[in-house]
Amino acid sequence: MSGLLILIPVALGLGLLGLVTFFWAMRQGQFEDLDGAAQRVLIDDEEPEE
């Protein structure tokens, strides 16, 4: 029973931390250009060595 007194606040704190991080990422524009990031993975910028 005493374990729950520690684990429940830790779980709530981690959930709150994840929620704050998600909203921070949304405000920073991390989710605005999802298609561009997917296309940049496919573009090969390096020139082949001879």
Side-chain angles (χ1 to χ4, degrees), residues 1 8 13 15-16 19 22-23 25 27 32 41-42 44-45:
M1 183 67 184
I8 289 175
L16 183 63
L19 189 63
F22 174 73
F23 283 120
R27 290 184 60 141
E32 290 182 358
V41 169
L42 300 175
D44 188 18
D45 291 338

Side-chain angles (χ1 to χ4, degrees), residues 33-44:
D33 187 21
L34 297 177
D35 292 333
Q39 293 174 356
R40 281 191 298 273
V41 169
L42 300 175
I43 297 173
D44 188 18

Side-chain angles (χ1 to χ4, degrees), residues 4-36:
L4 290 177
L5 295 175
I6 295 171
L7 292 177
I8 289 175
V10 168
L12 291 175
L14 288 175
L16 183 63
L17 179 66
L19 189 63
V20 168
T21 304
F22 174 73
F23 283 120
W24 173 80
M26 282 185 58
R27 290 184 60 141
Q28 297 296 320
Q30 295 292 318
F31 304 112
E32 290 182 358
D33 187 21
L34 297 177
D35 292 333

